[in-house]
Amino acid sequence: MPKMTGAYNDNDATDEMAEDTTNSSVEPAPDAHDSDTVNATPGAIENGSAMVNASDASAAGSGSGAISTSGSSTDPSLNAHVKHVRGAGAVSRADSRDSIHRRGTVRSGGGVRGVRQGVIWTIFAIVVVVAMIFVITFAKQQAPKVKPAGKPADTVTIGLKLAPTNLDIRNQSGSSLDQALIGNVYEGLVARSVDNKVVPAIAKSWVRTPDGKSYIFHLNDGMSFSNGDKLDASDVVWSIDELMRNGYQGADTLLNFKSITAVDERTVRLDLTAPYADLLWVLAGRPGLVLDKDGKVDMKTQALGSGPYTVAKYVPNSSLTLKANDRYWAATKPATQTIVLRYFSDDNAAVNALKSGAIQVLAPIDQRLVSPFKKDTDHYVVASGDDTDKYVLAMNCAGEKTSDRRVRQAIRYAINHRELIASRGGADKPLGGPIPSLDPGYEDLNDVYPYNPDKARELMRQAGYTPAHPLELRLTYANIYGTELGDQLRSQLKAVGIDLKVNVVEFSTWLQDVLKNHDYDLSLVDHNESHDFASWANPKYYYNYDNRDVQLLYGQAMVSLNDKDRDDYLRRAARRVSEDAPADWLFNYRITTAMEKGVVGFPLNLNQTLLPLSLVKYTPLV
Amino acid sequence: MRFLIRRLVSFAVALLGLSVVIFAALRILPGDVAVVMAGLNSPPGRVAQLRAEMGLNRPLPQQYIDWMAGLLTGDYGKSMLTGQSVTSMVVERASITFPLIIFGLLIASAVGLGLGVAASLATGNGVRTFFRVFGIVGGSIPALWGGLLLVLLFARGVGLIGLFPSQGFPQEGWGSPGAAFASLVLPALTVGLIDGASLMRYTRSALADVMHNGCMIEAMACGYTRAQALIHVGLRVIVPQLVSVAGLMFANMVTGVMVIENLFALPGVGSGLIADLGDRDLIAVQSELFMLAAFFLLVGLFVDVLHRVLDPRLRRSSEGRM
């Protein structure tokens, strides 16, 4: 599955904003503005007005000269008046003291008295702030939570992280779109189950010819789209023809495609030029989606499918409201009438929403914010599910320094995966190779390069580097993954003689520099796609990994006629890739979901790419 | 009149210059919306195909001219990603941000002017101290942290006293005014209290300056008490300065409340702009930036004109020069 901007299920992916929040809520704040407080105290007023004048002046650049004119025109006359008034002795004592005090401190840059006062103010401010924090923390612990009794709710609101930028499932990449729409609004010829196997959907059964080159799909009876249009073989044929003709998202994964024809109203025949072991799985994703050939909707803002839900309202980057489809053809109707998907870019905001009951489910929840929900077992359920997210530390195989296999191997030996995972909350799994446990061909490859800094140092020495003369490498990754991972890698690699320069960029910059232009030494990204081994068999991909054996093994896997052979070839290819060390797989991310106790039917596995909602039901606790 | 014309011409020139700067600056940014749309695993041809579809492979001057032609006819273009017209996107976001700012500014003025005057009038050492502390502490709290504190105190379900919702804007928007208003209370309070503290410091210092102005002395000589003179005469004198401060504050807030919008999960102008920029949706971003810049300049223009209305001295001085 291709994906897009920030389409990464990173629960740790704090943008800098979120991180700021955590820090300031944990540590009493004044540290940051200590100096501000001290300086500001005596001269606060002058500073204040100076600032205003400055901004006036900058505004004057755009034409508002009058503002500063008025400031300067009043000043001299003011001073004149002050002198005049003093001479006449007509000023009240408080006033003159005030003006002398102000002038004194400002002119002398803060005398002894000013300094002492500054210190007092600082202490005072700190005390106030600390007191506030204490009051809030202690009072919070006693705040009881009372829930009303009730029957199943009509509306369930689900908090998610990455929002789809538009609803155009044919053109816009991104797993958040698959997550929201596939299986809910759109249905495919076949579908994926929560353990990542192919199950029937619009086709109730299928057979493959013995040569593996043709598939016959038998469709369900009496199907219709949510606008009432009939769904039959002609829609299936039209959808896949359009996909191939226009090269929509995923068209390139439908390999060996020859033709698709309607045998009759309820039977479709798909022909291939050569067997393709992943065909059914590919059809469970975007390429297999069946759209209404007569439907006329703006694909970017609306969605017309045959699934259990329809799109009621879509606010880009904010929320998507789904309503049950009254015309849904299957026997099982959706359990909840309205489901609202809300997107939170700020992790703290998301957690607050769950606490306040604005959402009933939050997936993913930030590992560092999860503990209050874990403790409160009376009201919340927290669970982690398996996923196919691979945090790939790619090492440019064609790079000037990283083309040396010893350097790449040293990096793999030098990384302490257990430590990385522990610091992220411990939910993730170590992953020694390119295939995660939910995908075919998985094998535990963690023993290929176990953590061994001595071996790493030895390899680096052979390559000509020591901690005294370190190798300088640049790590480029997107800011959605937070800065911690880069910092940890830097310190782990420093121990073996690598000086890592961490370059955290915007995701679109990463796409341009690394993915498109292959301009990097090391890169870190979360590849969440399932069945994506093909990228290791593609020498033009940004890994620049070119191994003939791997390409042949993968090719053989894809023409296998049974799953056992396919899995066997993939396993061998994956081991080979891992041994060549074109990348290190930092961990296999596992998604953590927190929900209120009355929620049932919410899938835990894979729920960032595949989120069937028709079973989700929420009964508020008694 | 001549002033107004001169001012309008400089406004137009500034806008034109800005449009060039915005357009050029965005093209220098690394990244490409087509790459963003195509995602990680698409074939290379796909990006080129998308670029052609979106007209990104045309020469830059032509893209700029097309954009400007659209602007002149009031067509701000369509977002490449969402397909919505930029105008409707901005209007939708502004319907959250502007009420938030206005609400916040009202709170800020109430707090700032009220306490500023009170601080100038206060004679007791303790009271003066209190005001000074308020000004400093309030003015130096980072908005994000202040907002979090308010959430912990007043947010429904999270806070000590669960009064207001702290997350998001109601689905119906202003269709349910009560809920919409309630969702803006905490964010507006955050903005209002923090900006109110700076406004208070400003009011206080401006009033202190004006305290020794001749008109104040005259007013007192005519029998006003100090308080009366300050409120009836002093305030009147500093109003032009306050207007420019408030005007700039208002303009700054349009993007400045972005942090607040993120914290309270409000889909407003600032957070929308950041999201679009992250996606390299350049047509949307450049039109949004242009609108913001135009708005900023308009506020400046308005403040300038208002200034002359409020301050007779300015009018006289420029008439004299003529």
Side-chain angles (χ1 to χ4, degrees):
Chain A
M1 271 303 121
K3 40 199 309 250
M4 49 138 228
T5 329
Y8 295 84
N9 318 317
D10 179 15
N11 71 340
D12 198 41
T14 32
D15 38 284
E16 273 151 289
M17 192 104 51
E19 201 183 323
D20 275 354
T21 320
T22 339
N23 288 343
S24 47
S25 61
V26 175
E27 265 171 66
D31 241 32
H33 37 87
D34 238 355
S35 57
D36 209 355
T37 321
V38 178
N39 294 337
T41 312
I45 297 154
E46 293 297 322
N47 283 349
S49 58
M51 250 161 51
V52 171
N53 282 340
S55 57
D56 277 358
S58 69
S62 57
S64 52
I67 299 172
S68 40
T69 321
S70 85
S72 54
S73 75
T74 38
D75 264 346
S77 66
L78 249 178
N79 289 340
H81 279 297
V82 171
K83 267 182 218 145
H84 164 73
V85 166
R86 259 193 217 135
V91 185
S92 73
R93 278 179 61 192
D95 286 345
S96 62
R97 194 182 59 196
D98 180 50
S99 64
I100 289 164
H101 167 72
R102 276 183 42 231
R103 276 148 194 285
T105 45
V106 172
R107 291 252 164 88
S108 65
V112 179
R113 186 175 155 209
V115 171
R116 199 184 301 144
Q117 255 199 352
V119 174
I120 292 172
W121 284 125
T122 317
I123 294 171
F124 185 80
I126 293 174
V127 169
V128 168
V129 167
V130 170
M132 276 161 91
I133 290 172
F134 266 93
V135 168
I136 289 166
T137 348
F138 282 114
K140 259 190 69 66
Q141 288 175 347
Q142 302 154 7
K145 215 166 190 162
V146 189
K147 292 258 167 59
K151 49 185 186 351
D154 285 339
T155 303
V156 176
T157 308
I158 294 166
L160 302 169
K161 187 169 175 103
L162 295 155
T165 39
N166 67 54
L167 298 185
D168 190 350
I169 198 133
R170 295 195 292 202
N171 288 308
Q172 175 65 49
S173 65
S175 52
S176 57
L177 207 48
D178 302 39
Q179 175 192 39
L181 298 182
I182 296 182
N184 296 319
V185 178
Y186 294 113
E187 287 176 309
L189 205 46
V190 291
R192 278 161 86 185
S193 65
V194 288
D195 51 0
N196 213 16
K197 298 282 185 302
V198 175
V199 293
I202 281 176
K204 63 181 175 194
S205 64
W206 52 88
V207 285
R208 191 186 61 189
T209 53
D211 64 356
K213 284 158 109 177
S214 298
Y215 287 74
I216 312 286
F217 293 94
H218 299 288
L219 310 188
N220 280 294
D221 236 350
M223 293 182 293
S224 66
F225 292 100
S226 60
N227 62 355
D229 287 359
K230 195 171 166 220
L231 192 171
D232 60 23
S234 63
D235 294 289
V236 177
V237 170
W238 177 82
S239 299
I240 292 180
D241 274 342
E242 282 284 291
L243 168 88
M244 297 314 287
R245 182 162 48 237
N246 297 312
Y248 292 139
Q249 285 284 334
D252 58 308
T253 59
L254 194 50
L255 297 179
N256 309 339
F257 175 80
K258 188 169 152 201
S259 66
I260 182 157
T261 43
V263 177
D264 61 44
E265 239 182 41
R266 287 179 46 211
T267 315
V268 173
R269 177 192 175 103
L270 196 155
D271 289 304
L272 299 173
T273 53
Y276 180 30
D278 247 0
L279 178 82
L280 286 172
W281 193 86
V282 164
L283 290 177
R286 291 195 190 190
L289 294 185
V290 178
L291 277 66
D292 184 1
K293 65 178 188 302
D294 305 315
K296 296 267 180 295
V297 292
D298 177 3
M299 293 283 291
K300 281 190 173 174
T301 52
Q302 288 165 297
L304 169 61
S306 60
Y309 286 96
T310 59
V311 171
K313 186 166 196 267
Y314 167 57
V315 185
N317 293 318
S318 175
S319 72
L320 180 71
T321 307
L322 301 173
K323 280 240 177 331
N325 172 8
D326 301 332
R327 297 194 171 107
Y328 188 45
W329 55 270
T332 47
K333 304 293 178 209
T336 303
Q337 199 57 30
T338 305
I339 294 207
V340 182
L341 305 179
R342 284 190 54 194
Y343 299 95
F344 295 90
S345 52
D346 185 298
D347 291 330
N348 285 285
V351 164
N352 284 342
L354 180 61
K355 267 191 219 157
S356 65
I359 57 176
Q360 284 80 51
V361 185
L362 177 57
I365 182 168
D366 189 318
Q367 287 289 338
R368 288 163 306 181
L369 302 173
V370 77
S371 68
F373 300 102
K374 269 191 178 152
K375 281 185 204 136
D376 189 359
T377 49
D378 289 343
H379 299 100
Y380 296 102
V381 178
V382 177
S384 296
D386 281 332
D387 224 315
T388 56
D389 289 54
K390 305 157 288 285
Y391 272 64
V392 180
L393 180 77
M395 313 178 200
N396 192 347
C397 292
E400 184 194 335
K401 301 156 183 164
T402 40
S403 54
D404 186 340
R405 186 157 176 259
R406 290 168 302 191
V407 170
R408 303 201 305 263
Q409 288 176 314
I411 292 175
R412 291 206 63 184
Y413 279 123
I415 293 174
N416 184 347
H417 299 96
R418 240 166 256 295
E419 191 182 289
L420 291 181
I421 291 169
S423 73
R424 292 169 50 87
D428 305 324
K429 277 192 307 197
L431 177 71
I435 297 183
S437 58
L438 281 179
D439 278 351
Y442 169 74
E443 179 186 12
D444 185 347
L445 294 172
N446 283 301
D447 53 350
V448 178
Y449 289 95
Y451 174 55
N452 189 341
D454 291 331
K455 230 174 184 159
R457 266 188 291 270
E458 175 56 25
L459 282 162
M460 287 304 287
R461 203 186 50 73
Q462 288 171 17
Y465 305 97
T466 61
H469 300 282
L471 166 67
E472 196 177 288
L473 288 178
R474 184 167 46 102
L475 167 64
T476 309
Y477 71 99
N479 55 10
I480 44 175
Y481 303 121
T483 51
E484 296 90 339
L485 269 174
D487 291 340
Q488 282 172 314
L489 288 173
R490 180 171 46 215
S491 69
Q492 290 188 359
L493 293 184
K494 196 176 173 193
V496 301
I498 292 172
D499 180 13
L500 193 66
K501 301 273 182 250
V502 181
N503 185 17
V504 181
V505 297
E506 250 188 305
F507 186 67
S508 32
T509 309
W510 181 90
L511 284 173
Q512 182 81 13
D513 288 355
V514 178
L515 183 76
K516 191 157 174 248
N517 297 337
H518 302 196
D519 175 20
Y520 72 105
D521 292 333
L522 302 184
S523 143
L524 169 60
V525 80
D526 170 12
H527 282 284
N528 78 344
E529 310 88 334
S530 182
H531 289 239
D532 67 345
F533 188 84
S535 56
W536 297 106
N538 173 8
K540 292 205 179 88
Y541 203 51
Y542 78 96
Y543 304 136
N544 291 326
Y545 176 62
D546 190 357
N547 183 317
R548 191 80 198 119
D549 294 348
V550 170
Q551 289 154 20
L552 284 175
L553 283 169
Y554 180 68
Q556 278 169 312
M558 286 301 108
V559 297
S560 306
L561 288 179
N562 66 65
D563 288 356
K564 199 192 150 293
D565 286 353
R566 175 194 64 182
D567 295 0
D568 211 43
Y569 284 122
L570 283 174
R571 229 187 319 273
R572 281 164 60 196
R575 180 171 280 278
R576 194 58 214 276
V577 172
S578 181
E579 283 166 358
D580 275 344
D584 186 70
W585 293 267
L586 297 182
F587 44 82
N588 175 203
Y589 168 68
R590 295 180 79 233
I591 180 94
T592 301
T593 303
M595 51 193 162
E596 284 196 32
K597 215 167 183 182
V599 176
V600 294
F602 191 86
L604 295 174
N605 278 1
L606 290 167
N607 67 25
Q608 296 301 294
T609 43
L610 175 77
L611 186 59
L613 294 167
S614 60
L615 297 176
V616 174
K617 195 161 77 173
Y618 170 56
T619 316
L621 291 183
V622 179
Chain B
M1 199 57 214
R2 185 185 284 184
F3 163 77
L4 203 64
I5 291 167
R6 212 173 47 216
R7 203 58 193 70
L8 281 175
V9 169
S10 70
F11 175 72
V13 171
L15 270 188
L16 190 69
L18 267 169
S19 73
V20 177
V21 171
I22 289 173
F23 186 87
L26 288 179
R27 294 308 180 286
I28 294 169
L29 273 182
D32 180 355
V33 68
V35 180
V36 172
M37 277 186 91
L40 285 181
N41 277 13
S42 61
R46 175 92 185 126
V47 172
Q49 182 195 350
L50 283 170
R51 286 182 63 87
E53 273 171 28
M54 291 186 286
L56 289 174
N57 47 6
R58 293 171 300 160
L60 284 183
Q62 193 194 340
Q63 288 189 42
Y64 175 76
I65 289 169
D66 288 352
W67 177 52
M68 280 316 281
L71 288 189
L72 288 178
T73 55
D75 173 16
Y76 283 81
K78 268 187 173 184
S79 155
M80 291 188 259
L81 281 177
T82 64
Q84 285 178 301
S85 88
V86 176
T87 319
S88 73
M89 272 162 66
V90 170
V91 166
E92 197 171 316
R93 292 168 186 170
S95 76
I96 295 167
T97 301
F98 275 71
L100 168 62
I101 296 176
I102 291 168
F103 199 12
L105 212 57
L106 284 180
I107 295 175
S109 332
V111 171
L113 281 183
L115 293 186
V117 172
S120 303
L121 288 176
T123 44
N125 233 339
V127 188
R128 297 175 74 88
T129 304
F130 166 78
F131 284 122
R132 202 166 288 161
V133 170
F134 178 83
I136 291 160
V137 173
S140 44
I141 286 182
L144 189 68
W145 194 69
L148 269 180
L149 274 187
L150 284 180
V151 167
L152 292 177
L153 281 171
F154 299 116
R156 203 177 286 155
V158 186
L160 271 184
I161 319 163
L163 287 181
F164 303 106
S166 67
Q167 287 311 319
F169 203 66
Q171 286 293 313
E172 309 78 38
W174 288 100
S176 52
F181 186 75
S183 71
L184 290 184
V185 171
L186 285 182
L189 264 181
T190 314
V191 178
L193 286 180
I194 290 168
D195 281 334
S198 350
L199 202 60
M200 175 202 123
R201 286 191 333 196
Y202 188 78
T203 310
R204 204 180 86 94
S205 82
L207 276 179
D209 281 347
V210 103
M211 198 60 109
H212 315 296
N213 193 317
C215 48
M216 287 285 290
I217 294 154
E218 203 171 313
M220 283 195 269
C222 290
Y224 272 16
T225 64
R226 201 169 148 266
Q228 281 170 332
L230 200 70
I231 291 166
H232 291 289
V233 181
L235 265 186
R236 172 80 180 80
V237 172
I238 66 162
V239 155
Q241 295 174 47
L242 288 183
V243 165
S244 42
V245 172
L248 288 171
M249 227 175 221
F250 183 77
N252 270 328
M253 272 187 198
V254 177
T255 44
V257 292
M258 190 205 83
V259 177
I260 305 285
E261 286 172 358
N262 251 354
L263 179 64
F264 291 95
L266 297 172
V269 172
S271 46
L273 184 64
I274 296 297
D276 290 343
L277 189 61
D279 293 335
R280 294 289 184 270
D281 190 351
L282 295 187
I283 292 196
V285 173
Q286 70 195 17
S287 290
E288 283 162 14
L289 279 180
F290 185 79
M291 281 190 222
L292 279 178
F295 175 76
F296 208 92
L297 289 178
L298 264 183
V299 171
L301 181 71
F302 178 73
V303 165
D304 273 10
V305 172
L306 198 61
H307 240 254
R308 299 174 78 81
V309 174
L310 290 171
D311 193 341
R313 284 171 301 179
L314 283 175
R315 253 173 294 166
R316 248 178 278 127
S317 67
S318 65
E319 275 157 21
R321 247 182 276 145
M322 279 188 237

